[in-house]
């Protein structure tokens, strides 16, 4: 008796004003399993409860390995809810509330990443990268800029150029946007990089907020770019891609020149030595496996230009 299948409510039935019910949701943007024509009891999930639940689903999936990842996140999550709920109605109510909570908080990076996960636009690996982005930046900055007495203060200019050195593939326009999130003052203003990179669900520095939202934007844009290029190799409504054509389509794109035969082999489900121009793969599977491959991580996750490089944090701020 899934509540979502009930017909539209009686005419003129008022929604209680006390927030005890979630309004009906039949939006085309809402995934089918969360749509409901009737109000649903509002379980008022907190940020903490929502985040703990989604993080738990992600860690369950990672324990299963690549098989867990090939099941869409939403299916995996709903299956888990069904297995742990008392009955079908409770499972439906819980699922609708979980989606509503993720949407409610989705102006914040953690929850936007969760929403993209549920909508199938972001793989688990990249949601995890997004969560770890600023702690990795803090680790790199501490290793290079912390003074002998443990002080973590550097100039605004040094902070900005330090970021540019470890996020080398960020677009110039995004850097211009980033500057607007910096504390006021000239290039020589002293900043504590630890407090600027503090990433806490309840206390986000504006810089953390901007870096994490940009990271999600970069991933979604690159995924769209990949999809367009790959779709361009397919004719007659076929859902199958061939290695020779895909390689040719992506080779001319500067962002995809990082792709190695190993990356392709993984996405085509064969060993590196078995790749041939005629090797085929289902297009959706190919795209999903590409997104969980190394290239998205390498392009947008902070890293030193080389293992023995030193962060200099030098340059002129415009």
């Amino acid at each position: 008796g899934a509540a979502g299948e009930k017909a539209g409510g009686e005419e003129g039935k008022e929604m209680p004003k006390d927030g005890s019910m979630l309004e009906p949701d039949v939006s085309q943007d809402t995934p089918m399993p969360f749509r409901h024509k009737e109000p649903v009891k509002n379980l008022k999930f907190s940020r903490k409860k929502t985040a703990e639940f989604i993080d738990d689903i992600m860690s369950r999936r990672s324990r299963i390995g690549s098989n867990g990842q090939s099941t869409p996140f939403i299916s995996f999550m709903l299956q888990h809810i069904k297995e742990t709920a008392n009955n079908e109605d409770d499972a439906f109510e819980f699922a609708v509330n979980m989606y509503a909570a993720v949407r409610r908080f989705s102006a914040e990076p953690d929850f936007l990443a969760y929403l993209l996960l549920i909508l199938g636009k972001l793989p688990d690996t990249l949601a995890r990268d997004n969560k770890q982005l600023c702690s990795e930046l803090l680790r790199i900055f501490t290793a290079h800029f912390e003074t002998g007495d443990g002080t973590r203060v550097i100039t605004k200019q040094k902070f900005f150029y330090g970021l540019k050195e470890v996020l080398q593939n960020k677009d110039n326009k995004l850097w211009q946007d980033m500057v607007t999130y910096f504390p006021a003052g000239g290039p020589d203003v002293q900043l504590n990089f630890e407090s600027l990179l503090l990433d806490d669900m309840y206390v986000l520095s504006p810089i953390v907020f901007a870096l994490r939202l940009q990271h999600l934007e970069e991933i979604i844009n690159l995924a769209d770019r990949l999809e367009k290029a790959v779709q361009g190799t397919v004719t007659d409504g076929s859902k199958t891609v061939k290695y020779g054509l895909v390689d040719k389509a992506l080779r001319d794109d500067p962002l995809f020149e990082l792709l190695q035969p190993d990356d392709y082999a993984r996405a085509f489900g064969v060993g590196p030595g078995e790749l041939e121009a005629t090797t085929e793969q289902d297009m959706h599977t190919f795209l999903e496996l590409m997104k969980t491959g190394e290239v998205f991580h390498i392009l947008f996750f902070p890293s030193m230009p080389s293992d023995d490089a030193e962060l200099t944090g030098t340059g002129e701020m415009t």
Side-chain angles (χ1 to χ4, degrees):
E5 289 165 12
K6 290 178 185 166
E10 296 160 33
E11 285 302 309
K13 203 156 70 171
E14 285 281 310
M15 276 284 293
K17 298 276 189 285
D18 60 0
S20 62
M21 302 297 279
L22 294 173
E23 295 200 4
D25 179 1
V26 290
S27 162
Q28 293 299 312
D29 296 334
T30 299
M32 239 10 221
F34 307 123
R35 292 183 199 174
H36 51 106
K37 293 178 181 171
E38 298 280 311
V40 168
K41 184 182 174 188
N42 186 354
L43 302 177
K44 299 185 177 163
F45 289 158
S46 64
R47 282 177 175 77
K48 184 170 184 291
K49 183 179 176 73
T50 307
E52 281 175 356
F53 175 79
I54 303 276
D55 288 345
D56 177 57
I57 297 291
M58 284 170 71
S59 69
R60 284 170 190 276
R61 278 163 70 78
S62 70
R63 289 199 293 274
I64 298 170
S66 55
N67 288 350
Q69 305 285 336
S70 61
T71 309
F73 187 89
I74 188 171
S75 312
F76 193 97
M77 174 176 124
L78 291 168
Q79 186 58 35
H80 177 70
I81 292 172
K82 274 198 180 109
E83 285 165 8
T84 49
N86 296 323
N87 55 52
E88 219 176 289
D89 284 348
D90 281 3
F92 180 74
E93 186 178 84
F94 185 94
V96 164
N97 271 273
M98 189 48 69
Y99 179 71
V102 167
R103 282 226 349 236
R104 185 161 63 248
F105 303 130
S106 66
E108 299 159 29
D110 273 346
F111 296 94
L112 179 57
Y114 295 152
L115 181 62
L116 293 169
L117 257 179
I118 290 171
L119 296 175
K121 293 181 185 294
L122 188 73
D124 304 46
T125 48
L126 296 176
R128 209 168 282 117
D129 270 6
N130 187 261
K131 237 177 167 28
Q132 294 165 356
L133 188 81
C134 292
S135 52
E136 181 60 16
L137 283 170
L138 181 58
R139 189 190 67 73
I140 294 173
F141 272 54
T142 303
H144 290 267
F145 291 147
E146 189 175 61
T147 53
D149 60 359
T151 307
R152 296 181 171 189
V153 172
I154 55 177
T155 64
K156 181 173 170 179
Q157 179 164 317
K158 199 166 191 175
F159 181 73
F160 179 72
Y161 278 94
L163 287 177
K164 283 197 92 160
E165 280 176 78
V166 294
L167 295 167
Q168 293 197 341
N169 294 301
K170 192 177 287 295
D171 190 74
N172 264 337
K173 185 187 172 310
L174 293 181
W175 282 121
Q176 286 162 7
D177 291 347
M178 177 63 61
V179 175
T180 64
Y181 290 90
F182 273 51
D188 297 328
V189 169
Q190 298 283 309
L191 306 176
N192 180 317
F193 65 77
E194 183 175 27
S195 58
L196 287 178
L197 293 171
L198 176 71
D199 190 352
D200 176 289
M201 194 191 298
Y202 302 102
V203 192
L204 274 187
S205 95
I207 285 175
V208 168
F209 179 80
L211 282 166
R212 288 190 57 191
L213 287 186
Q214 285 189 358
H215 178 249
L216 292 172
E217 187 186 335
E218 287 167 319
I219 288 166
I220 299 300
N221 288 344
L222 187 65
D224 287 348
R225 193 158 151 175
L226 175 68
E227 202 163 317
K228 279 200 183 75
V230 170
Q231 280 172 343
T233 69
V234 174
T235 48
D236 309 331
S238 161
K239 291 279 180 270
T240 307
V241 291
K242 286 191 172 69
Y243 168 59
L245 296 173
V246 170
D247 177 44
K248 188 163 175 286
L250 296 181
R251 206 181 305 150
D252 300 332
D253 188 319
L255 277 180
F256 291 116
E257 64 188 7
L258 289 170
L259 288 170
Q260 302 298 315
D262 284 13
D263 298 310
Y264 282 113
R266 187 177 165 277
F268 276 96
V270 296
E274 300 164 346
L275 264 183
E276 291 172 8
T278 53
T279 304
E280 294 187 340
Q281 174 65 291
D282 167 72
M283 182 160 67
H284 176 74
T285 308
F286 172 82
L287 290 169
E288 289 310 300
L289 289 169
M290 267 298 184
K291 285 185 220 167
T292 57
E294 280 293 288
V295 69
F296 280 76
H297 173 76
I298 290 169
L299 281 171
F300 304 125
F301 199 69
S303 65
M304 292 301 294
S306 66
D307 289 344
D308 53 0
E310 277 294 320
L311 260 196
T312 60
T314 53
E316 290 300 317
M317 281 192 80
T318 48

